[in-house]
């Protein structure tokens, strides 16, 4: 079964840092782009960041550029999102999702169950 | 404000049809494929349409998609109470070099 499972969410103070992980299984992880997408309370889906299969290309939403860093370890079938300088409006459920192919950003399937990040003092 | 424009809500009686529009531009829908996601509260999004009109395995043919120019449409026929959810369109924006989603449409079965 193709599956992705997020972890690492929690409560952090404004200005703090957090690293999310996404463990993938059931497919050849090293041949697909991966993305992070978030859903803030009362808001709609927002794509956060994407990374190509060999990590040679990374993309970010304007709202997180310069604060978040996406990376991956293909030997561990794991995707990461390092979040620094966190702000209250970064509070959201963060989802990991598999791309349709490498560097195509066509559609995402499957999605993980999400991990909640709460930024609050 | 979202790059892709969707109506906030649509509604219809059981068995009827709803149509959800997604309006974009030449840098996103105009040159890239559109996908549609279904999301129930507290659960992960689920892909219901990809490449503008293709249904993943397991998605009933009551769900259909189309694209024309810089707009896309999701149609749900034979509406069921279990279809009540939020629906999002999404595509790559070649100018922004970012994936963009619509603001979401809440489907209500009357």
């Amino acid at each position: 079964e193709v599956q992705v499972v997020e972890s690492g969410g929690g409560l952090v103070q404004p200005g703090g840092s957090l690293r999310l992980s996404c463990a993938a299984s059931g497919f050849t992880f090293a041949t697909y782009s991966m993305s992070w997408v978030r859903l803030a309370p009362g808001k709609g889906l927002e794509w956060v960041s994407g990374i190509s299969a060999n990590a040679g290309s990374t993309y970010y939403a304007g709202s997180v550029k310069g604060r978040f860093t996406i990376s991956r370890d293909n030997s561990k079938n794991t995707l990461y999102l390092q979040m620094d300088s966190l702000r209250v409006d970064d509070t959201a459920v963060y989802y990991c999702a598999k791309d349709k192919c490498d560097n195509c950003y066509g559609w995402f399937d499957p999605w993980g169950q999400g991990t909640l990040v709460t930024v609050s003092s | 404000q979202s790059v892709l424009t969707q109506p906030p809500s649509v509604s219809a009686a059981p068995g009827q049809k709803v149509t959800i529009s997604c309006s974009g531009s030449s840098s996103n829908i105009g040159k890239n494929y559109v996908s549609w996601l279904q999301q129930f509260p507290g659960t992960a999004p689920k892909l219901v349409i990809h490449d503008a009109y293709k249904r993943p395995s397991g998605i009933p043919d009551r769900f259909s998609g189309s694209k024309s120019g810089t707009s896309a449409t999701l149609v749900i026929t034979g509406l069921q109470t279990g279809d009540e959810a939020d629906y999002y369109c999404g595509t790559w924006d070649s100018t922004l070099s970012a994936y963009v989603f619509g603001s979401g449409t809440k489907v209500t079965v009357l």
Side-chain angles (χ1 to χ4, degrees):
Chain A
E1 179 190 6
V2 178
Q3 192 174 1
V4 292
V5 179
E6 306 91 339
S7 61
L11 174 64
V12 61
Q13 293 188 335
S17 298
L18 207 58
R19 189 177 85 154
L20 306 183
S21 298
C22 170
S25 59
F27 64 99
T28 307
F29 181 73
T31 62
Y32 290 91
S33 296
M34 298 290 295
S35 281
W36 289 98
V37 178
R38 67 185 180 184
L39 181 68
K43 301 286 184 66
L45 293 175
E46 180 187 16
W47 179 85
V48 172
S49 182
I51 186 169
S52 62
N54 67 358
S57 298
T58 57
Y59 302 94
Y60 298 92
S63 58
V64 306
K65 195 171 293 184
R67 300 188 299 121
F68 289 12
T69 303
I70 191 171
S71 62
R72 62 192 298 164
D73 185 337
N74 288 344
S75 69
K76 295 183 179 179
N77 289 349
T78 302
L79 175 72
Y80 303 101
L81 185 68
Q82 176 67 41
M83 303 185 294
D84 298 321
S85 303
L86 281 161
R87 309 189 299 221
V88 172
D89 62 0
D90 292 318
T91 294
V93 176
Y94 285 73
Y95 298 98
C96 161
K98 168 185 165 291
D99 197 357
K100 66 174 284 189
C101 54
D102 182 26
N103 230 13
C104 48
Y105 301 100
W107 40 266
F108 303 121
D109 183 61
W111 296 62
Q113 84 290 347
T115 188
L116 177 62
V117 173
T118 303
V119 185
S120 174
S121 55
Chain B
Q1 191 159 345
S2 299
V3 172
L4 305 180
T5 302
Q6 296 181 235
S9 63
V10 297
S11 61
Q16 298 303 302
K17 177 179 79 172
V18 293
T19 300
I20 303 172
S21 60
C22 176
S23 178
S25 69
S26 58
S27 66
N28 43 65
I29 294 178
K31 63 170 57 177
N32 296 302
Y33 282 116
V34 177
S35 67
W36 288 91
L37 298 163
Q38 175 192 62
Q39 186 171 34
F40 299 103
T43 69
K46 178 181 180 181
L47 184 71
V48 294
I49 293 289
H50 64 85
D51 296 341
Y53 64 92
K54 298 178 181 178
R55 284 188 311 276
S57 173
I59 301 301
D61 59 7
R62 300 185 299 104
F63 291 82
S64 64
S66 64
K67 173 185 145 176
S68 178
T70 59
S71 294
T73 301
L74 174 69
V75 176
I76 309 174
T77 59
L79 201 61
Q80 302 177 359
T81 55
D83 297 331
E84 282 202 337
D86 294 320
Y87 292 83
Y88 297 90
C89 58
T91 188
W92 181 256
D93 189 294
S94 302
T95 297
L96 297 174
S97 290
Y99 199 87
V100 291
F101 290 104
S103 48
T105 298
K106 182 176 182 60
V107 170
T108 300
V109 181
L110 300 172

